[in-house]
Amino acid sequence: MKVYLNGKFVDQSKAVVSVFDHGLLYGDGVFEGIRSYNGLIFKLEDHIDRLFESAHTIMLRVPMSKAELIGVVKESLRVNKLRDAYIRLVVTRGEGDLGLDPRKCAQPTVFIIADKIELYPKKLYEQGLELITVATQRNVPEALNPQIKSLNYLNNILAKIEAINAGYEEAIMLSHSGYVTECTGENIFIVKDKHLLTPPPYIGVLRGITRSTVMDLAATQRLNVQEDLLTRHDLFNAEEVFLTGTAAEIVPVVKIDGRVIGTGKPGPATKKLQAAFRQVTKTEGVRY
Ligand code: PMP
């Protein structure tokens, strides 16, 4: 596999960064995860825009234009002869000294990995996932805004570890005030009485690109789409629950904290949205 690193495509084994890179020392950097489906990169511009917004907020200069970055994302897929892929795009503060000061990092590091990903086995998409609420709260947005897709994912990793320790694959994280936020790398939705509800960004969730896609698709399916504060009670008593993310796509949830959701099987609205999502990934996207 060839990895794009600071202007060149290098062999995977040569794709290495300095131990003085602040991406590694401090998680000082931003990233995106993007998918391509059958030769079409899904929502590429949205991901590039979000990367630039994250970088702008942390005052990190992306050392190339959006058009140039789009060019190398496409090139990464062509070089590796990939049609269905997961692309990881990373910009770090670059090499500095052992202090925090970002001014000491002269040149940002940019790399792109184009590979495959399968977060969960196929049968889980048919049978549904069981979730557990964990004690680790989602970062308070006033301290670290989750719209910054930064390289510091310890908040999410701690929650993931708790889920794994308890024998589950994925965790629900609550806000400081006890409202449902999101899972460790996916947004959460509930279906109830023809409504599709998902927590609002201000409670501390990433405005996921799959989340926006699903909200658009749902509006065409006679579902009343709304952002609303959700409690665990709302989840337990929903007709359907599902998760969304670029890597995970749409994952049905059938049990939460021991409570069966709806019929205990992936519901009709979730299945319809999965089908609609599959369709849109087949027809929309940037060719390479
Ligand atoms: N929440 C978090 C914390 C994430 O890291 C991600 C992306 N992995 C998502 C939600 C889903 O966002 P998207 O649909 O843009 O991939």
Side-chain angles (χ1 to χ4, degrees), residues 31-33 47 50 86 138 149 153 156 182-187 205-211 244-247:
F31 78 101
E32 278 298 320
H47 284 283
R50 191 169 66 180
Y86 180 78
R138 189 75 176 100
K149 208 162 156 52
Y153 255 54
N156 315 58
E182 58 183 342
C183 291
T184 65
E186 294 96 25
N187 292 110
V205 312
L206 177 72
R207 212 181 262 114
I209 289 169
T210 321
R211 174 184 182 273
T244 64
T246 298

Side-chain angles (χ1 to χ4, degrees), residues 34-37 77 82-87 114-117:
I34 313 170
R35 259 190 197 264
S36 74
Y37 296 91
L77 292 163
L82 288 165
R83 293 190 61 76
D84 292 279
Y86 180 78
I87 306 136
D115 202 354
K116 301 256 174 199
I117 197 166

